Amino acid sequence: EEELLEAGLITKREEHVYDRFRNRVIFPIIDLRGNVIGFGGRIMGDAKDQNGFKIPKYLNSAETPVFHKGRSLFSLNLAKKVQAPQIILAEGYMDVISVYQAGVHNVVATLGTALTEDQAKLLMKYCNEILLCYDSDEAGQKATIRAIEIINSVNGKARVIRLRGAKDPDEYIKANGAEAFRHAVAQSVPSTEYRISLARTHFNLDAPEGKIGFVQEAAEVLCSLGD
């Protein structure tokens, strides 16, 4: 019981202990040597408690001497076996599982947090280039830009997979199939091209002010390459 408490798998109130992961689908987090070092859990059904308060959709086990969220990656133990020049970085467990089931095995995900420098350095030990495949919504776009900055800061290379008409890889594969996803991977674009194309969407290029704003933002992107 003490070990379960220390690992953050249970909580204790007065004399009773409770499973922190009750009513969740459990994803084991496995290190590079094949050891289970932590767990992620996705809530089943509505993400609210019995009193109507919102609870986290995903929950990770607590940090321990063997588990550090910012230094671990979901499914890297499998992706490294592919020995591919590129590794796909997704946002969630289900995205990784869907991509893997589609026959693309060089895929990993962060553990519910933004990409860290430690994770980027770890990835670059097993590939020459990281292919970012985050959600296509505004939050996903911001996360993609931040991930590009992190990868660049450790002298890594990044490209971006653009999934048209779907929010994430899981949704895209269900709608379009595995072959379409593999084609999207092959059509990934350099990170600089992605950042400039994203900047274009922020302005009305039919108006002079919009053209000026776009040129200024694109110039900032290009100038950052020399940082």
Side-chain angles (χ1 to χ4, degrees):
E1 187 173 296
E2 291 304 316
E3 289 179 344
L4 291 171
L5 280 167
E6 185 179 354
L9 302 181
I10 61 175
T11 56
K12 193 170 186 177
R13 298 173 190 166
E14 297 177 352
E15 297 302 316
H16 301 284
V17 295
Y18 300 89
D19 176 12
R20 290 184 69 233
F21 290 90
R22 61 190 178 277
N23 297 326
R24 292 178 183 269
V25 176
I26 302 300
F27 303 90
I29 299 164
I30 303 172
D31 70 9
L32 294 171
R33 291 182 288 275
N35 301 308
V36 176
I37 57 173
F39 300 95
R42 186 189 190 283
I43 195 71
M44 295 286 288
D46 191 22
K48 293 182 180 179
D49 64 16
Q50 59 186 5
N51 296 316
F53 293 106
K54 189 175 182 180
I55 57 177
K57 184 177 180 181
Y58 284 95
L59 185 68
N60 285 324
S61 52
E63 302 247 328
T64 67
V66 298
F67 176 53
H68 304 276
K69 286 187 290 187
R71 284 184 266 168
S72 304
L73 289 155
F74 181 67
S75 198
L76 183 58
N77 61 305
L78 300 177
K80 71 168 188 171
K81 296 178 182 179
V82 180
Q83 296 183 331
Q86 300 167 320
I87 288 181
I88 297 169
L89 177 62
E91 284 192 276
Y93 306 115
M94 289 306 303
D95 291 325
V96 170
I97 291 171
S98 292
V99 171
Y100 197 95
Q101 288 179 330
V104 180
H105 297 169
N106 55 324
V107 57
V108 302
T110 51
L111 305 175
T113 62
L115 181 69
T116 67
E117 287 190 6
D118 285 335
Q119 289 170 329
K121 289 176 182 177
L122 180 60
L123 278 173
M124 295 309 299
K125 290 181 180 180
Y126 297 98
C127 68
N128 300 324
E129 199 168 41
I130 300 170
L131 305 185
L132 296 166
C133 195
Y134 284 3
D135 289 1
S136 59
D137 58 13
E138 185 177 351
Q141 292 171 0
K142 290 180 179 178
T144 299
I145 295 297
R146 180 58 183 150
I148 290 171
E149 293 171 348
I150 292 292
I151 294 166
N152 288 344
S153 74
V154 298
N155 298 315
K157 294 181 180 179
R159 297 176 70 89
V160 180
I161 301 170
R162 295 188 288 195
L163 304 178
R164 309 292 188 187
K167 181 185 177 184
D168 54 40
D170 182 41
E171 183 179 294
Y172 186 86
I173 291 169
K174 287 176 180 176
N176 302 286
E179 187 58 38
F181 179 78
R182 286 193 287 268
H183 179 73
V185 172
Q187 297 298 311
S188 63
V189 299
S191 58
T192 302
E193 180 179 332
Y194 172 80
R195 292 172 68 185
I196 291 175
S197 66
L198 191 61
R200 186 188 297 271
T201 65
H202 298 160
F203 301 96
N204 176 12
L205 298 185
D206 293 329
E209 296 83 358
K211 292 179 181 178
I212 293 171
F214 167 65
V215 169
Q216 289 175 334
E217 191 164 323
E220 290 176 7
V221 171
L222 295 173
C223 287
S224 70
L225 300 179
D227 292 344

